[in-house]
Amino acid sequence: MNLFSSPEHILQGGYFHSTLRKLQEPNTSIEPHNIMYPVFLLENDNALQPVSSLPNVNRYGINQLMLALKDLVAKGLKSILIFGIVETLEKDAIGSSADTPENPVIKALPRLREAFPDLLLACDVCLCPYTSHGHCGLLSANGAIDHGASTKRIAEVALAYAKAGAHIVAPSDMMDNRIKAIKEALVSHKLENQVSVLSYSCKFASSMYGPFRDTMKSSPMASDRKCYQLPPGSAGLAARAAARDVAEGADCLMVKPGLPYLDIVRRTKDQFPNHPLFIYQVSGEYAMIARGGDSAEVQTTLMEILTCMRRAGADCIITYFAPLILSIISGKH
Ligand code: PBG
Ligand code: ZN
């Protein structure tokens, strides 16, 4: 018998029509709730600074951010991830300005809650933007990470953002056991039912964070982050980190970066199908795509990549392309 004439071998009859194609891609739609927009918040309320390494990305003072968000929320934006940047507040060994009342994130949260009552507000929790040494945890005298002091400090910062009005606290530091410390802090302040913990559970020591570190001025002064961020080749550590964070009470998980790590996304989704899974499409990925062609090519490439991220198991994609995506999916450019 001729194999190629056999009806069960004909696939094209299943996807020649656009509606049929939709049925072949059940979980890959890109709707506003599948997108989270990272924003950089400056101390100076009226500042507006373009980021040279990231086309169309700005650093905002709160007044400028509110203006930008008004537009984006009208276009359907559902959630943001806030990064604080300090320029006049001092950086010290313990990252004191991460949770002072003058911290830009702490000051902005009540205003954002009031102005955008339906917008989901996530705060990145880390020490690197605030420490003099630029590491994500605290250091012992010999320069190694002080694990106990780090998790305690990270939990304090997370609690401060939670008290100021964050719906989600998202620790990106990769210190062991910080999820447990944060959850316990939330419980002891009766906030555990009002604040989610989004763990950067599977965050790799990637070379694709360069533009972000320039933007945030958060590079380590000495050494690198390979003793806490995961080795890019290790699926095993990613699985153990996700399992540990789930056991400690993480509400949502994350794989970061996205595109080279879609195998990790699929494994993590299969390992924990009941936890929403985020991808962070990082600054280096953004720069590569944004510079990868004319605007039509950028748009089709971007939508293909997002579709593939959804297919791999991502529920939400954190991306600097959020404004463009909202324009594309709403059909308004
Ligand atoms: C810092 C942090 C980084 C990113 C988010 N939080 C950089 C790093 O870990 O060195 C990367 C985001 C990006 O590249 O877009 N904790
Ligand atoms: Zn950090």
Side-chain angles (χ1 to χ4, degrees), residues 46-86:
N46 295 311
L48 176 62
Q49 305 171 352
V51 175
S52 56
S53 51
L54 298 171
N56 298 317
V57 175
N58 295 306
R59 312 192 317 169
Y60 297 97
I62 183 62
N63 293 339
Q64 296 291 334
L65 180 64
M66 302 269 272
L67 285 176
L69 287 178
K70 198 162 184 276
D71 234 41
L72 292 170
V73 168
K75 278 188 176 164
L77 183 70
K78 297 279 182 250
S79 65
I80 61 174
L81 174 61
I82 309 170
F83 292 90
I85 299 175
V86 294

Side-chain angles (χ1 to χ4, degrees), residues 126 128 136 172:
C126 204
C128 59
C136 303
S172 61

Side-chain angles (χ1 to χ4, degrees), residues 126 128 172 203 209 212-213 225 229 256 282-283 320:
C126 204
C128 59
S172 61
K203 174 173 173 178
Y209 306 148
F212 174 95
R213 289 183 192 170
R225 295 184 174 148
Q229 299 180 352
K256 172 187 172 189
V282 301
S283 55
Y320 305 101

Side-chain angles (χ1 to χ4, degrees), residues 15-56:
Y15 61 90
F16 65 87
H17 187 280
S18 63
T19 300
L20 290 173
R21 284 195 286 277
K22 277 214 156 57
L23 296 173
Q24 301 285 351
E25 300 184 334
N27 295 311
T28 62
S29 62
I30 314 293
E31 295 179 49
H33 69 274
N34 303 120
I35 300 297
M36 180 180 267
Y37 185 34
V39 296
F40 300 111
L41 189 62
L42 296 163
E43 279 172 61
N44 176 347
D45 289 351
N46 295 311
L48 176 62
Q49 305 171 352
V51 175
S52 56
S53 51
L54 298 171
N56 298 317

Side-chain angles (χ1 to χ4, degrees), residues 156-174:
E156 278 172 14
V157 174
L159 181 62
Y161 298 163
K163 283 182 178 168
H167 298 110
I168 297 180
V169 288
S172 61
D173 54 291
M174 288 302 280

